């Protein structure tokens, strides 16, 4: 994982948490749900209540890696007229008010449509840290390598329980900022327990040379944050936060984030 | 890592004319199209599938197994029937129909499901999942699963389930579970999304039996391989019946599996013009169509880079066609490539043109075609008239049309279109619901 050539905002945020003897907390929210203003307000609430990094999702017509809660939210955002360019307003709205590293999570076609270079330029201009790309593997990412280097953006690729050692190594080497470890074979959605596969994926990523590995999919409670924070550099919560904003608005996001952050492990000195 | 070659490096119309071959393109890339735009979670499964497929192709036992099932289960080779009375509507050229409608389950789909189900067994998978639009691929998948003793789950848009209730019943009779998909636009593309979600979660014991020559590598090249028999048979049959190659080959194209299958036989014959007919819906200037190559732009969907119906934000646009089997906003990547290099001409056919060709074939040949295949027939009528205009003697010109499926499934919809039903009958209701989509 190369961090030397460009100052990685994501790496800096994770390292800051590490310096405090704990894992980083990463919260996901879909842009434009329930509207752009509330996404910004909720993002700020995330940062003010314990999230170190924020992941803003772009609503997309064909979200194959998402479960029902996130699908319902992004479908509603699209029905209300969300446009991809508004994600930059969300990113700028949060980065102008907080120190959190803000990444965009997006399926790849909206980036292709805008143009990889143009999308990257505007993301950097908005203060964004980089992209998490659930349906882009390094094998297909040559344009993204070029643009992310040009604009100093983090490339967060995913690794999974099914990743072979060769693919693990390759994906770790291609990533910058951190590596996103998928905890289970499945789509997004809260689960009562995080599978033991998560620990193995993180170990494999570390073994392949990753300095920062964050675990996502299925994490929804402080207890799960504590469990994963013991072996990973970061813990990603998505669906639970989307359900919170759906049911209780920005205040519910703030409350849940505070609750989740109690699970961040503080190492014994 | 295989780098995608640039368009410039692949100016293949030239390579083709200089003696290169367009047949058996192995993927993952077709020019700049194809590839694997997929979640990492599925890459290992795609690698396993590719490996199994490559080994199977080289295994005489596998090849013999396919040949045996094609012959003794599906009923291949399918006939090549000269349509003399229909030809009068195609400028008087000679028209031959490649009768995929006569295969078991009533369409070309059986070729692919038998091949993939055998591969699934080789991989030790016990469960097959599939997407379906009109129900043809779902029925074919359920058939193959029953034949080979595998569990089968079919994802079908809730809208499609309503308008194809009898096909849902057929799949259930064959032992499959049909899951109505209520996400997104509730049609074929959403059924694919849901099948992919299932596959991610169950990839250990499950094979995703994709029904068309689209998706991530190795699906486009693999699905084509199982359908190549259409083109190979057609080429041998036309030579036997007429002593010469055809002047043109016509097929309908949604994702493009029947088309790539028959095109394959003729790609390296420079004298043969090849045409793919997309669903023009209400007309390509109305916005209600599925003419992906004609009006789409390159993008990535369901694992491949190809032409795609999308808005300025890269969101997939819902397609519209009277034919559920063509109602898909993407297209297989090999077709995108063949369009770019000019080897195949892709043109839209409207619902009205397709239904007129449907009517004519019924009345002139006693064959009720699938509405999908009626798009190819309508295109052949146009191509025939063009060929006739440039020929001294039209009867020296030959067209092959891939009659990809039979129209039994479309009777309610056709009856509604031609106003054959009593207004208050339940059949009229079914037809109306079908036509609305």
């Amino acid at each position: 994982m190369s961090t030397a050539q460009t100052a990685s905002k994501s790496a800096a945020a994770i390292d800051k948490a590490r310096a405090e003897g704990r894992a980083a907390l990463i919260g996901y929210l879909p842009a434009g749900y329930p509207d752009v203003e509330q996404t910004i307000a909720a993002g700020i609430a995330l940062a003010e209540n314990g999230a170190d990094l924020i992941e803003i999702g772009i609503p997309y017509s064909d979200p194959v890696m998402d479960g029902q809660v996130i699908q319902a939210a992004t479908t509603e955002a699209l029905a209300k007229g969300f446009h991809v360019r508004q994600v930059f307003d969300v990113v700028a709205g949060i980065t102008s008010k907080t120190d959190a590293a803000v990444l965009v999570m997006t399926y790849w076609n909206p980036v292709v449509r805008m143009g990889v270079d143009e999308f990257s330029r505007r993301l950097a201009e908005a203060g964004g840290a980089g992209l998490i790309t659930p349906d882009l593997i390094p094998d297909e990412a040559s344009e993204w390598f070029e643009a992310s280097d040009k604009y100093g953006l983090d490339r967060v690729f995913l690794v999974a329980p099914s990743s072979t050692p060769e693919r693990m190594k390759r994906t770790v080497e291609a990533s910058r900022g951190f590596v996103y470890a998928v905890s289970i074979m499945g789509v997004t959605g809260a689960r009562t327990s995080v599978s033991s596969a998560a620990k193995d994926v993180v170990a494999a990523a570390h073994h392949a040379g990753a300095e920062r590995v964050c675990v996502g999919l299925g994490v929804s409670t402080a207890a799960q944050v504590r469990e994963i924070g013991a072996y990973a550099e970061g813990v990603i919560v998505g669906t639970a936060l989307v359900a919170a904003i759906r049911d209780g608005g920005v205040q519910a996001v703030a409350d849940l984030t505070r609750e989740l952050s109690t699970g961040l492990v503080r190492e014994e000195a | 890592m295989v780098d995608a070659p640039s368009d410039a490096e692949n100016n293949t119309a030239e390579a083709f004319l200089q003696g290169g071959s367009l047949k058996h393109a192995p993927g993952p890339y077709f020019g700049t199209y194809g590839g694997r735009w997929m979640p990492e979670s599925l890459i290992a499964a795609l690698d396993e599938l590719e490996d199994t497929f490559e080994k199977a192709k080289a295994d005489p036992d596998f090849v013999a197994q396919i040949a045996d099932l094609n012959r003794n289960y599906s009923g291949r080779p399918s006939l090549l029937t000269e349509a003399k009375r229909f030809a009068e509507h195609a400028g008087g050229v000679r028209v031959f129909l490649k009768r995929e409608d006569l295969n078991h389950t009533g369409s070309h789909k059986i070729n692919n499901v038998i091949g993939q189900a055998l591969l699934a067994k080789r991989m030790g998978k016990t469960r097959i999942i599939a997407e379906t639009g009109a129900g043809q691929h779902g029925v074919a998948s359920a058939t193959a699963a029953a034949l080979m003793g595998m569990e089968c789950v079919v994802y079908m848009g809730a809208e499609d389930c309503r308008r194809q209730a009898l096909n849902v019943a057929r799949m259930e009779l064959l032992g499959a579970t049909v899951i109505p998909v209520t996400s997104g636009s509730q049609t074929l593309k959403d059924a694919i999304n849901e099948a992919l979600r299932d596959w991610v979660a169950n990839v250990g014991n499950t094979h995703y039996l994709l029904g068309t020559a689209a998706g991530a590598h190795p699906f486009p090249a693999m699905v084509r391989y199982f359908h190549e028999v259409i083109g190979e048979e057609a080429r041998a049959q036309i030579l036997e019946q007429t002593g010469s190659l055809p002047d043109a080959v016509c097929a309908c194209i949604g994702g493009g599996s029947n088309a790539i299958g028959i095109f394959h036989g003729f790609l390296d014959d420079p004298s043969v013009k090849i045409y793919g007919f997309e669903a023009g819906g209400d007309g390509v200037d109305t916005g209600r169509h599925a003419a992906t190559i004609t009006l789409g732009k390159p993008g990535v969907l369901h694992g491949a880079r190809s032409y795609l119906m999308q808005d300025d934000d890269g969101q997939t646009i819902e397609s519209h066609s009277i034919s559920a089997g063509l109602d898909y906003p993407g297209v297989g990547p090999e077709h995108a490539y063949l369009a770019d290099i000019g080897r195949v001409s892709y043109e839209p056919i409207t619902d009205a043109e397709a239904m007129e060709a449907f009517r004519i074939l019924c009345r002139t040949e006693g064959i009720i075609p699938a509405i999908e295949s009626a798009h190819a027939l309508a295109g052949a009528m146009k191509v025939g008239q063009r060929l006739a205009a440039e020929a001294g003697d039209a009867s020296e010109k030959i067209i092959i049309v891939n009659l990809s499926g039979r129209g039994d499934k479309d009777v309610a919809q056709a009856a509604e279109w031609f106003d054959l039903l009593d207004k208050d009958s339940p059949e009229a209701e079914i037809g109306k619901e079908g036509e609305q989509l």
Side-chain angles (χ1 to χ4, degrees):
Chain A
M1 182 156 33
S2 65
T3 48
Q5 65 214 74
T6 316
S8 161
K9 289 180 182 175
S10 311
I14 292 168
D15 290 350
K16 183 163 168 283
R18 180 151 53 183
E20 293 169 13
R22 60 176 178 85
L25 180 64
I26 302 168
Y28 165 92
L29 293 168
Y33 178 76
D35 56 45
V36 167
E37 289 67 34
Q38 289 190 71
T39 311
I40 295 172
I44 293 169
L46 268 172
E48 288 176 346
N49 290 280
D52 303 285
L53 295 89
I54 294 162
E55 185 185 329
I56 298 296
I58 296 182
Y60 175 56
S61 53
D62 297 276
V64 296
M65 278 295 284
D66 284 310
Q68 289 183 0
V69 172
I70 292 177
Q71 278 182 49
T74 54
T75 300
E76 185 181 326
L78 287 173
K80 286 177 175 169
F82 175 83
H83 281 290
V84 169
R85 61 176 180 274
Q86 290 176 289
V87 80
F88 305 119
D89 301 335
V90 173
V91 171
I94 300 170
T95 54
S96 65
K97 295 275 173 50
T98 76
D99 294 330
V102 181
L103 295 117
V104 167
M105 193 229 74
T106 182
Y107 293 92
W108 197 240
N109 199 50
V111 181
V112 173
R113 190 75 189 90
M114 184 175 288
V116 179
D117 187 88
E118 171 70 2
F119 189 101
S120 303
R121 185 186 66 74
R122 292 173 73 169
L123 179 60
E125 200 174 271
L131 286 179
I132 300 170
T133 52
D135 64 349
L136 180 71
I137 55 175
D139 317 49
E140 305 287 5
S142 56
E143 267 192 282
W144 171 226
F145 284 122
E146 198 175 306
S148 53
D149 283 346
K150 182 173 170 187
Y151 297 104
L153 295 169
D154 290 335
R155 296 186 289 264
V156 180
F157 292 106
L158 278 61
V159 293
S162 58
S163 300
T164 58
E166 296 74 34
R167 291 203 60 81
M168 185 69 79
K169 185 161 191 303
R170 172 154 179 200
T171 306
V172 165
E173 281 168 2
S175 299
R176 180 163 59 217
F178 64 95
V179 175
Y180 190 126
V182 171
S183 67
I184 41 146
M185 294 300 287
V187 297
T188 60
R191 288 167 176 86
T192 48
S193 67
V194 176
S195 84
S196 59
K199 197 170 183 176
D200 297 339
V201 181
V202 173
H206 282 149
H207 182 73
E211 293 170 37
R212 301 169 198 85
V213 185
C214 301
V215 174
L217 258 60
V219 187
S220 61
T221 67
Q224 290 171 324
V225 169
R226 182 172 299 111
E227 183 191 336
I228 294 165
Y231 59 80
E233 283 70 42
V235 189
I236 304 167
V237 179
T239 296
L241 286 163
V242 178
I245 196 167
R246 177 192 68 200
D247 298 337
V250 173
Q251 186 57 48
V253 170
D255 294 344
L256 177 60
T257 309
R258 217 162 30 245
E259 159 67 16
L260 291 167
S261 66
T262 64
L264 295 172
V265 174
R266 193 166 283 279
E267 283 172 8
E268 301 297 324
Chain B
M1 173 175 181
V2 188
D3 288 315
S6 71
D7 281 323
E9 285 164 348
N10 257 286
N11 199 342
T12 47
E14 306 232 327
F16 167 66
L17 290 171
Q18 287 163 11
S21 174
L22 291 173
K23 294 175 80 168
H24 306 292
Y29 301 103
F30 306 89
T32 59
Y33 302 105
R36 277 187 178 168
W37 308 83
M38 271 282 172
E40 170 66 22
S41 298
L42 289 172
I43 300 298
L46 293 168
D47 279 340
E48 180 190 20
L49 179 59
E50 180 181 7
D51 184 56
T52 305
F53 170 56
E54 292 300 332
K55 285 180 179 145
K57 270 197 301 184
D59 178 351
D61 287 347
F62 181 80
V63 174
Q65 215 175 355
I66 295 273
D68 176 59
L69 286 166
N70 278 348
R71 175 75 189 90
N72 297 311
Y73 186 72
S74 305
R76 302 205 71 92
S78 66
L79 301 178
L80 186 73
T81 305
E82 180 159 16
K84 290 182 178 164
R85 281 175 27 83
F86 177 81
E88 291 167 18
H89 299 267
V93 304
R94 296 180 75 182
V95 177
F96 291 78
L97 307 176
K98 181 58 178 162
R99 301 293 304 280
E100 293 297 298
D101 61 313
L102 295 177
N103 296 338
H104 179 47
T105 76
S107 78
H108 70 290
K109 295 286 187 190
I110 193 76
N111 305 328
N112 173 46
V113 297
I114 283 178
Q116 285 199 47
L118 284 175
L119 290 178
K121 289 212 91 154
R122 285 195 156 216
M123 291 185 287
K125 313 253 171 163
T126 56
R127 180 173 177 267
I128 277 173
I129 56 172
E131 82 295 339
T132 197
Q136 290 298 85
H137 175 58
V139 168
S141 298
T143 300
L147 176 66
M148 299 188 198
M150 303 174 85
E151 183 189 351
C152 181
V153 172
V154 179
Y155 289 93
M156 186 168 183
E159 290 288 341
D160 290 335
C161 286
R162 270 193 289 281
R163 66 170 167 169
Q164 294 285 350
L166 284 178
N167 265 339
V168 172
R170 285 172 82 193
M171 288 181 261
E172 288 172 345
L173 286 170
L174 291 161
T177 304
V178 179
I179 301 184
V181 174
T182 54
S183 60
S185 57
Q186 309 190 11
T187 56
L188 179 58
K189 82 172 178 70
D190 306 285
I192 295 176
N193 293 340
E194 208 55 41
L196 285 168
R197 291 180 188 118
D198 179 317
W199 202 26
V200 171
N202 300 295
V203 70
N205 72 342
T206 298
H207 173 63
Y208 179 13
L209 209 169
L210 184 68
T212 192
H217 181 69
F219 282 105
M222 181 178 72
V223 174
R224 184 203 62 226
Y225 173 83
F226 292 127
H227 285 305
E228 284 172 5
V229 64
I230 306 172
E232 284 162 9
E233 286 176 8
R235 193 172 186 280
Q237 288 166 321
I238 199 74
L239 285 171
E240 189 193 329
Q241 291 185 32
T242 71
S244 61
L245 287 170
D247 296 280
V249 171
C250 300
C252 65
I253 175 164
S257 68
N258 90 81
I260 203 69
I262 195 161
F263 291 175
H264 177 84
F266 302 94
L267 281 175
D268 288 350
D269 296 314
S271 67
V272 180
K273 291 181 174 157
I274 305 180
Y275 297 88
F277 293 101
E278 303 191 297
D282 292 347
V284 292
D285 50 356
T286 65
R288 289 178 53 83
H289 60 81
T292 309
I293 293 180
T294 306
L295 286 181
K297 294 188 170 61
V300 293
L301 177 68
H302 295 147
R305 181 172 189 274
S306 188
Y307 282 97
L308 180 62
M309 287 176 58
Q310 54 179 319
D311 68 13
D312 290 343
D313 271 357
Q315 310 285 356
T316 309
I317 295 174
E318 281 177 47
S319 53
H320 292 277
S321 169
I322 189 169
S323 153
L326 303 183
D327 199 350
Y328 178 60
V331 66
E334 192 167 3
H335 288 292
Y337 171 63
L338 292 171
D340 278 11
I341 65 169
R343 178 63 187 102
V344 179
S345 304
Y346 295 87
E347 300 175 14
I349 293 292
T350 64
D351 290 353
E353 289 170 327
M355 292 311 289
E356 177 61 7
F358 179 101
R359 189 186 66 80
I360 291 170
L361 192 76
C362 291
R363 300 293 181 92
T364 58
E365 302 292 340
I367 297 170
I368 301 177
I371 296 178
E372 288 80 4
S373 318
H375 287 70
L377 293 163
M381 286 163 59
K382 292 187 180 183
V383 170
Q385 279 149 19
R386 280 181 230 158
L387 286 173
E390 59 196 49
D393 179 1
S395 69
E396 288 177 357
K397 296 289 183 184
I398 298 168
I399 297 178
I400 297 178
V401 183
N402 199 19
L403 199 71
S404 55
R406 67 180 181 221
D408 304 45
K409 68 183 176 60
D410 299 319
V411 168
Q413 210 172 350
E416 167 72 17
W417 179 274
F418 295 116
D419 207 16
L420 303 177
L421 298 171
D422 181 352
K423 291 284 175 267
D424 300 323
S425 68
E427 289 81 6
E429 278 306 303
I430 292 170
K432 200 177 292 172
E433 282 177 22
E435 200 212 322
Q436 282 168 353
L437 284 171

